[in-house]
Amino acid sequence: MAQDGVAPLSAIDWLSQSIEPAKLAEPPVANGIRTPVVTVTPLDGPSKDPIGLLPANVTGLPPSIWSASDEATLVDLVRAERVETLPAIQEFLRVLMLAEADPPLGAGPDGALFVARVDKLLDLGALEQAKSLIEAAEPDTAPLFRRWFDVALLTGTEDEACDVVKSTPSIAPTYSARIFCLARNGDWNAAALTLNTHRVLGDISEAEEALISRFLDPELFEGEPPLDPPARVSPLMFRMHEAVGEPLITANLPLAFSHADLRTTTAWKSQIEAAERLARHGAVSENVLQRIYTARTPAASGGVWDRADAIQRFDVALQARDPRALSRALPDAWDAAQEARAEVPFAKLYGAALQDIPLSGDAADIAFQVGLLSPAYETVALNTQGQDPFLIALARGVPQEVRVTTPRSLAIQSAFNGTPTPDDLQTLVDDGKLGEALLRAVALFHQGYSGDAGSLTDALALFRAVGLEDVARRAALQLMILDRAT
């Protein structure tokens, strides 16, 4: 959550202008760089839209998901998708963005859909997947190299990125990025000369000049007040502020910036907060969250410290397989997971193990819910008695067998009880526009998540009709168990 009610920017908003179109004509030189060799793609080159990391046999989606839709329509739909939604939908959206698929109608060499998919991964905080996707396509255009450069800055691999900038002048950086890379490559004199030259020419703003000057020679500014934080933070600014000892708080920055706080050089409290934020979006694995929660002994109380303490006490009790200790520790640990909105990562970590230990009281009810939020939800439902019959039936895929009365449960029940896919979505599917239909269904689910029962039924009905039963069940279970507004 952003502080003071200010929503973080999207990837499209924060992507820096680190890299501009090529101005120089020298041929690229590799020099043994481990990162991809960057060249310039001809304007009549093939589209990058088909490139993905997940083949059809992994996604369960046909290669034709985009091929019958107009590229501009798909780009608009991808950009409009919300990332603040339930984990099952976030996960499915990542799958869509990473899928190998045939290019859409009107696809050009600029790969507009490919770039939109990368941007959505960045919105979701999925830096490693975005980086891998770009490298699979090769960052050989200015827009892709800019994104690849920014990801390198946020993941601490900027030295490799600067090596590519040095060896590949055909995609030239902006002056600020050029100066930064000259310094990172050890040529401080050239960096200072470049700054002075472009300061005189008016190519660098006063704010950029102040930050770069401190970056190049911080000792000159000892005792000076800190710089004002920039109104619009790029990854390059973020790294330079950090380098001069004036790090920027990531809470109000796009999700991707939180990866910088996972490093062991960061204060433990900031590591935990960043891991929680990323885990609730599926941007880091549940194992990363657990590792950071259990890295040290909390030295204080309240907030994040109480959450870490609760998880640690629960983790110890679970390893000991002590039913009494677990029955005491699980409620506090679950409260911590709920407070962090990390219930699904918690379930992935502990859901299966909890089913094998006899628990009592509230802990037994919590273990059931945690099990239904885990990948083994159906097995948990089949082996459980005495719990919510609607949740059990929903996990088994037959919620229509249980009488319900709430609007949300009735909407879910309707989708599993033969309600047909709405005509507009079915027409898209019939016309071969499956990907477009799925993107629209994801948007409909968000409306249903916000309270529109009809949209919820329509979205779930579409998922089920095209064979995405697991997505439909997990999304519906999360909707019922997490029971929170957007």
Side-chain angles (χ1 to χ4, degrees):
M1 297 290 290
Q3 295 174 346
D4 302 323
V6 179
L9 299 171
S10 72
I12 296 171
D13 297 320
W14 65 259
L15 278 166
S16 74
Q17 298 300 320
S18 298
I19 303 301
E20 295 289 356
K23 302 181 183 70
L24 303 178
E26 292 92 333
V29 181
N31 291 333
I33 303 301
R34 289 184 288 123
T35 47
V37 176
V38 180
T39 57
V40 178
T41 298
L43 292 178
D44 59 351
S47 171
K48 296 183 184 293
D49 288 339
I51 296 171
L53 301 181
L54 302 178
N57 65 337
V58 173
T59 65
L61 300 170
S64 60
I65 54 172
W66 311 127
S67 60
S69 295
D70 179 73
E71 183 168 55
T73 299
L74 293 173
V75 168
D76 288 343
L77 289 171
V78 168
R79 287 179 174 171
E81 294 292 4
R82 295 281 298 271
V83 299
E84 294 293 339
T85 185
L86 292 176
I89 301 300
Q90 291 170 340
E91 183 178 336
F92 178 62
L93 190 54
R94 282 195 300 275
V95 169
L96 274 179
M97 298 302 99
L98 292 169
E100 291 180 353
D102 299 331
L105 296 175
D110 59 341
L113 177 58
F114 182 86
V115 173
R117 288 160 54 204
V118 170
D119 284 347
K120 189 53 59 177
L121 290 170
L122 295 175
D123 269 344
L124 289 162
L127 287 190
E128 290 302 325
Q129 292 97 324
K131 182 174 184 286
S132 296
L133 190 62
I134 293 172
E135 290 176 356
E138 295 189 5
D140 55 1
T141 66
L144 286 184
F145 189 75
R146 173 159 56 97
R147 286 155 174 80
W148 184 75
F149 188 83
D150 283 347
V151 170
L153 290 166
L154 293 176
T155 55
T157 58
E158 63 271 15
D159 286 348
E160 293 182 356
C162 284
D163 284 339
V164 173
V165 169
K166 179 181 178 181
S167 65
T168 312
S170 54
I171 294 183
T174 60
Y175 301 117
S176 295
R178 186 191 298 260
I179 295 164
F180 174 83
C181 282
L182 284 169
R184 294 298 295 188
N185 287 327
D187 198 345
W188 296 89
N189 290 332
L193 178 62
T194 304
L195 172 61
N196 289 331
T197 299
H198 292 291
R199 174 171 50 196
V200 171
L201 294 175
D203 297 324
I204 292 177
S205 69
E206 290 185 10
E208 288 176 312
E209 177 193 339
L211 177 57
I212 297 170
S213 296
R214 293 192 185 208
F215 173 71
L216 294 180
D217 199 346
E219 293 182 359
L220 287 178
F221 298 90
E222 286 188 6
E224 294 287 328
L227 296 169
D228 292 331
R232 182 175 181 271
V233 180
S234 72
L236 183 58
M237 290 180 179
F238 181 84
R239 292 294 285 160
M240 284 198 284
H241 268 275
E242 184 179 62
V244 302
E246 299 177 17
L248 301 173
I249 297 172
T250 62
N252 285 335
L253 298 179
L255 180 62
F257 284 81
S258 292
H259 283 273
D261 285 341
L262 296 181
R263 292 167 295 178
T264 56
T265 54
T266 304
W268 187 36
K269 181 175 183 289
S270 296
Q271 288 182 49
I272 296 174
E273 291 171 339
E276 288 177 339
R277 186 182 179 203
L278 290 164
R280 78 174 63 113
H281 291 84
V284 294
S285 76
E286 59 276 8
N287 294 313
V288 170
L289 181 61
Q290 182 193 42
R291 174 177 56 78
I292 292 177
Y293 266 141
T294 59
R296 305 174 193 172
T297 301
S301 60
V304 66
W305 305 121
D306 286 348
R307 294 198 293 275
D309 179 66
I311 295 297
Q312 289 183 16
R313 287 187 288 106
F314 166 75
D315 198 60
V316 169
L318 183 62
Q319 290 183 40
R321 301 185 64 82
D322 183 338
R324 293 182 63 185
L326 270 173
S327 293
R328 292 192 300 269
L330 179 54
D332 289 341
W334 185 236
D335 286 346
Q338 290 178 310
E339 186 177 337
R341 298 183 71 168
E343 301 97 331
V344 171
F346 184 90
K348 289 181 177 179
L349 280 168
Y350 304 116
L354 284 173
Q355 308 311 310
D356 299 329
I357 301 172
L359 301 174
S360 58
D362 291 342
D365 298 335
I366 293 171
F368 168 67
Q369 293 186 32
V370 173
L372 292 191
L373 292 174
S374 77
Y377 61 86
E378 187 169 8
T379 300
V380 171
L382 291 171
N383 294 327
T384 300
Q385 296 179 346
Q387 292 289 345
D388 187 321
F390 179 69
L391 291 180
I392 291 174
L394 175 55
R396 293 172 49 230
V398 286
Q400 64 273 23
E401 294 182 357
V402 177
R403 187 174 182 275
V404 293
T405 57
T406 67
R408 180 172 285 180
S409 55
L410 286 168
I412 292 171
Q413 194 175 64
S414 180
F416 283 80
N417 199 29
T419 297
T421 303
D423 291 342
D424 54 343
L425 294 184
Q426 188 59 54
T427 297
L428 290 173
V429 174
D430 293 342
D431 290 345
K433 300 179 179 180
L434 177 58
E436 183 176 342
L438 290 171
L439 289 171
R440 294 185 185 279
V442 168
L444 279 175
F445 184 87
H446 188 82
Q447 295 177 25
Y449 175 30
S450 303
D452 184 340
S455 294
L456 176 59
T457 298
D458 290 345
L460 293 175
L462 186 278
F463 291 146
R464 299 189 72 240
V466 299
L468 297 173
E469 179 73 13
D470 181 62
V471 174
R473 288 197 212 177
R474 286 191 298 115
L477 284 167
Q478 290 171 13
L479 194 64
M480 294 300 298
I481 295 171
L482 303 182
D483 193 24
R484 60 183 179 227
T486 57

